[in-house]
Amino acid sequence: MLVALMFLAATACEKGRVEKPEIGARSAKKEKRAEKKDGSKSKKDWPKYEIYAPGELTDDRFRTPENIRSLVFAGDIMMADRLAPFVDEEGVDYPFRATQALLKSADLTIGNLETPIAVEAKKRRDKGFFYKTPPGTLEGLRQAGFDVVSLANNHVRDCDAGGVLETLKFVDEHGLGRFGAGKTLAEAKSPLVVDVKGLKIAFVGFNGAEVYLTDFRQFEKGLWDTRKARALADLQATDTLPGTLVAEENDVREMVRAAKAVADMVVVFPHWGIRYHRPVFEGQERFARAAIDEGADLVVGTHVHFWQATEVYKGKPIVYGIGNFAFGSHNPKADHGLVVRALVEGKSVKSVELYPTYTNNRAEQVRFQPKIMKGADAEKELAKLKADSAKRSAEITIENGVGYLRF
């Protein structure tokens, strides 16, 4: 049994039970949209890959020796919007049925919850995409094996301050650990410390200001200061306003030092990079290395909606981006991500495994249910990751459709 030692004022409540999310009746317009989401009616024949179907992966594949602790990281999760009809009709566990063997195998499973979980709070209307997800969907995460969620992302305040408070409440009620957002800035910056078979592991999360650049051209046009100011206004918590952290380098260093003081290991799980921009952004590299300089043991990032390169810095692993996971978007650019498994021996990460995923929700093979790739197709996707990572002097070996980051 995992014991979450929250380095926060609030503690998680005992897990609630919800039979089905309260998504509500769909309008005729939504019914029509749901029909369009059926992969069999897609206007394009998307590539078909070798994938593991639901039930094909088994727990035996992921067993580890007793002295090894395993951590599994999944990317962006948002079980609303275009995913909502599938959850409504198939159940809250639908998005995770093909990956749950890997998710459940871990001693601790972590994901990025990129949506407010709210009932009363209203969605904002002053930017392009706004999310709001019913609390019943959290039961799907629990059933799939998730233990901890990061709330450090650019959608945490989509339902304003009230949505943040509801999210904190519902996540606690469903027995999930959380970090990266809070009722105050101090809480948002505080680490979550989890006891994993006697080892205290601290998690911290934050946003890079570049998450408010809609594409790299905005950076090239000199809009950095404008977009950073907007990110701070939209997302940043204060002493009296709930939210998350839009970090500076000194914040990252401070957070890691504080986490190191109360734990045996520190994991940094940031939301950063420029969406749909594969190259690692300068701030990502700078923040990751600063975190490791201060004592972080592992860095795994989210936000750009597909995978980014890996790196090893001072003997510590960095996975800059793992992409989408169960995410209610129809953008076919979000086509390939990663599930990361880190194996810990003693107080050190000894191995990082990279499982390529197919996440194009328009494809019939996916339909809002991410799939782990296998065979030659998995190795081709990993070969691309290997080539990108080699530019950062990182070595990946590929064996039986799994990438292994060497360090």
Side-chain angles (χ1 to χ4, degrees), residues 77-362:
I77 299 168
M78 190 274 291
M79 293 170 61
D81 200 46
R82 294 177 183 272
L83 175 50
F86 293 91
V87 171
D88 193 19
E89 293 160 12
E90 302 286 343
V92 290
D93 67 326
Y94 170 80
F96 312 109
R97 289 175 188 166
T99 54
Q100 64 181 2
L102 176 54
L103 300 175
K104 287 184 174 182
S105 73
D107 293 306
L108 201 74
T109 300
I110 307 98
N112 170 47
L113 182 60
E114 194 161 4
T115 175
I117 305 296
V119 175
E120 300 297 331
K122 305 298 183 185
K123 288 195 290 186
R124 293 168 51 184
R125 300 294 178 188
D126 57 340
K127 65 177 183 175
F129 297 97
F130 307 85
Y131 303 140
K132 177 181 175 180
T133 304
T137 56
L138 293 175
E139 182 60 22
L141 273 70
R142 290 293 300 171
Q143 290 177 14
F146 282 93
D147 303 289
V148 171
V149 292
S150 172
L151 304 178
N153 56 67
N154 56 302
H155 287 282
V156 67
R157 216 146 71 187
D158 275 8
C159 297
D160 284 320
V164 179
L165 295 176
E166 285 194 72
T167 301
L168 300 176
K169 177 174 76 80
F170 287 124
V171 168
D172 288 348
E173 287 178 355
H174 282 79
L176 293 163
R178 56 173 172 84
F179 62 94
K183 296 176 182 178
T184 64
L185 181 59
E187 185 177 331
K189 293 172 69 173
S190 295
L192 168 72
V193 181
V194 181
D195 188 308
V196 183
K197 295 188 333 190
L199 184 73
K200 293 181 180 179
I201 304 178
F203 295 85
V204 294
F206 57 83
N207 288 271
E210 70 275 5
V211 299
Y212 256 53
L213 293 168
T214 59
D215 57 52
F216 191 68
R217 290 172 296 179
Q218 288 191 333
F219 180 73
E220 293 177 310
K221 291 177 180 178
L223 297 178
W224 171 255
D225 289 339
T226 301
R227 302 308 294 176
K228 179 179 179 180
R230 180 68 185 272
L232 286 165
D234 279 358
L235 303 175
Q236 183 92 333
T238 69
D239 290 343
T240 57
L241 183 67
T244 183
L245 169 68
V246 180
E248 301 282 359
E249 182 179 325
N250 63 304
D251 294 312
V252 177
R253 292 182 179 276
E254 175 191 333
M255 292 166 70
V256 173
R257 286 197 299 268
K260 194 74 174 176
V262 294
D264 303 308
M265 283 184 57
V266 177
V267 174
V268 180
F269 194 60
H271 205 65
W272 58 8
I274 300 171
R275 68 175 190 167
Y276 300 116
H277 184 68
R278 183 89 67 187
V280 174
F281 187 66
E282 179 275 337
Q284 292 178 269
E285 177 185 283
R286 183 160 45 87
F287 285 9
R289 293 181 177 185
I292 289 172
D293 285 341
E294 297 298 335
D297 298 279
L298 173 65
V299 179
V300 179
T302 62
H303 175 65
V304 305
H305 299 303
F306 43 47
W307 58 255
Q308 288 182 287
T310 66
E311 182 178 328
V312 176
Y313 174 69
K314 295 185 176 179
K316 303 295 184 180
I318 303 168
V319 183
Y320 279 105
I322 59 177
N324 278 5
F325 193 59
F327 199 83
S329 164
H330 233 179
N331 194 323
K333 292 180 183 178
D335 55 355
H336 294 287
L338 299 169
V339 174
V340 173
R341 185 166 82 144
L343 301 182
V344 177
E345 185 176 2
K347 296 181 180 181
S348 301
V349 177
K350 294 299 184 183
S351 175
V352 171
E353 302 170 358
L354 308 164
Y355 294 84
T357 56
Y358 188 30
T359 55
N360 176 6
N361 287 320
R362 289 181 181 267

Side-chain angles (χ1 to χ4, degrees), residues 9-61:
T11 56
C13 299
E14 188 173 348
K15 183 173 90 174
R17 301 294 298 182
V18 179
E19 292 185 1
K20 203 169 187 181
E22 297 176 1
I23 292 175
R26 286 174 286 158
S27 65
K29 183 178 180 181
K30 286 186 177 180
E31 290 282 359
K32 189 173 182 180
R33 285 174 59 197
E35 288 180 8
K36 290 181 180 179
K37 288 197 286 290
D38 189 328
S40 64
K41 299 179 182 179
S42 174
K43 294 180 180 179
K44 180 175 179 179
D45 291 329
W46 300 100
K48 287 186 169 60
Y49 296 100
E50 291 184 80
I51 57 169
Y52 287 100
E56 191 173 354
L57 283 171
T58 63
D59 296 345
D60 290 342
R61 174 165 179 171

